[in-house]
């Protein structure tokens, strides 16, 4: 774990709107826990331009961690039971919002499960300086220190000298050719501009399968749970 003292951030920052989140209400009863590849293929079929947009990302549908005695399953073949308030989110350049709205009302098939999207809402990225990614691709998910060092190197190449950083749960996302080893990552103590940059550009590879995408986070006390969209 990387951790140093925190500093107060400047006030009055205006979040740019060139990259935004488009959040749809998702009518879907169940999805496989590991749906990254299937969801990505479905969206690319409907929105073929998305693969050519380097800052576009496809958020996975996470669902709840637990509730009323139910615990989120960990087996890749397990099914997630999704509540009515489930949202599906695309991170997009603003000029692609109108194109993505074409998903509304379509029946999307993801690994044998149907999703109907409606009620799209455009959301600015967050000015919070603590951000969280559920899936950051790493070469070694078994060694937490090695993962953090690798993340620090990636951040440094983007001009960000990280102060506070913590890794979390490891996941393997199954792909046809080569599975992706990932870990969750929380970064704290960023400058506002750095937080926005990472939300816009991500970290590492795999944004079209839900990797390297950052969400706002309330802090270390909730490290295992990102804010629900």
């Amino acid at each position: 774990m990387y951790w140093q003292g925190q500093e107060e951030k400047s006030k009055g920052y205006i979040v740019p709107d060139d990259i935004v989140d488009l959040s749809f209400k998702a009518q879907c009863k169940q999805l496989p826990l590991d749906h990254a590849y299937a969801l990505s293929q479905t969206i690319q079929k409907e929105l073929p331009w998305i693969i050519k947009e380097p800052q576009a990302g496809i958020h996975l549908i996470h669902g709840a961690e637990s509730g009323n005695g139910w615990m989120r399953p960990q087996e890749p073949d397990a099914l997630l039971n999704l509540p009515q308030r489930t949202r599906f989110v695309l991170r997009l350049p603003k000029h692609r919002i109108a194109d993505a709205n074409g998903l509304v009302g379509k029946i999307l098939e993801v690994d044998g499960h149907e999703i109907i999207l409606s009620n799209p809402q455009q959301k600015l990225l967050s000015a919070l300086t603590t951000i969280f990614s559920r899936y950051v691709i790493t070469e070694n998910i078994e060694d937490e220190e090695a993962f953090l060092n690798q993340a620090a190197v990636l951040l440094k190449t983007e001009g960000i000298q990280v102060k506070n950083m913590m890794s979390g749960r490891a996941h393997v996302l199954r792909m046809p050719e080569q599975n992706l080893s990932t870990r969750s990552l929380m970064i704290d103590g960023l400058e506002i501009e750095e937080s926005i940059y990472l939300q816009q550009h991500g970290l590492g590879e795999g944004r079209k399968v839900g990797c390297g995408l950052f969400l706002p986070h309330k802090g270390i006390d909730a490290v295992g749970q990102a804010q629900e969209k």
Side-chain angles (χ1 to χ4, degrees), residues 62-72 85 225:
H62 188 70
E65 287 289 346
S66 61
N68 298 322
W70 175 83
M71 296 299 293
R72 180 180 173 84
R85 63 182 179 86
Q225 302 176 15

Side-chain angles (χ1 to χ4, degrees), residues 22-24 26 39 43 58-59 61 86-90 117:
L22 188 62
S23 174
F24 298 85
L39 178 63
I43 297 302
I58 301 172
H59 288 276
I61 298 176
T86 295
R87 308 291 295 188
F88 167 64
V89 181
L90 293 172
L117 302 180

Side-chain angles (χ1 to χ4, degrees), residues 37-188:
Y37 178 76
L39 178 63
S40 179
Q41 291 298 298
T42 296
I43 297 302
Q44 288 183 49
K45 181 179 179 180
E46 296 292 335
L47 307 177
W49 48 263
I50 200 169
I51 198 67
K52 297 180 181 179
E53 292 284 358
Q55 290 177 280
I58 301 172
H59 288 276
L60 303 188
I61 298 176
H62 188 70
E65 287 289 346
S66 61
N68 298 322
W70 175 83
M71 296 299 293
R72 180 180 173 84
Q74 297 302 314
E75 301 79 9
D77 294 320
L79 292 177
L80 287 174
N81 295 313
L82 299 173
Q84 291 185 351
R85 63 182 179 86
T86 295
R87 308 291 295 188
F88 167 64
V89 181
L90 293 172
R91 184 155 293 171
L92 298 170
K94 186 178 180 180
H95 70 271
R96 285 297 190 180
I97 294 297
D99 296 331
N101 279 331
L103 293 173
V104 172
K106 290 190 175 182
I107 300 176
L108 307 179
E109 183 174 329
V110 178
D111 203 9
H113 299 266
E114 292 185 350
I115 304 176
I116 301 176
L117 302 180
S118 62
N119 191 29
Q121 298 176 2
Q122 184 175 319
K123 300 171 61 177
L124 292 176
L125 302 179
S126 175
L128 291 181
T129 56
T130 302
I131 55 177
F132 175 85
S133 178
R134 293 190 178 98
Y135 310 98
V136 174
I137 296 175
T138 177
E139 296 175 359
N140 185 354
I141 61 173
E142 301 300 328
D143 189 330
E144 181 179 358
E145 183 177 359
F147 167 68
L148 289 172
N149 288 335
Q150 181 184 2
V153 170
L154 288 173
L155 289 163
K156 190 174 182 179
T157 63
E158 300 294 340
I160 298 173
Q161 189 67 44
V162 67
K163 296 178 181 178
N164 305 322
M165 185 168 56
M166 177 181 291
S167 72
R169 186 174 296 163
H171 294 271
V172 174
L173 301 178
R174 294 180 297 186
M175 300 288 149
E177 295 182 359
Q178 182 177 359
N179 293 341
L180 301 177
S181 297
T182 75
R183 267 189 180 269
S184 61
L185 178 68
M186 186 182 76
I187 307 175
D188 182 70

Side-chain angles (χ1 to χ4, degrees), residues 166-221:
M166 177 181 291
S167 72
R169 186 174 296 163
H171 294 271
V172 174
L173 301 178
R174 294 180 297 186
M175 300 288 149
E177 295 182 359
Q178 182 177 359
N179 293 341
L180 301 177
S181 297
T182 75
R183 267 189 180 269
S184 61
L185 178 68
M186 186 182 76
I187 307 175
D188 182 70
L190 294 167
E191 297 298 324
I192 297 175
E193 294 83 358
E194 293 172 336
S195 174
I196 293 295
Y197 179 87
L198 286 174
Q199 290 174 71
Q200 290 180 333
H201 296 271
L203 186 66
E205 302 296 328
R207 280 179 282 285
K208 305 307 185 289
V209 288
C211 296
L213 297 171
F214 284 94
L215 303 168
H217 198 280
K218 291 183 178 179
I220 190 172
D221 290 341

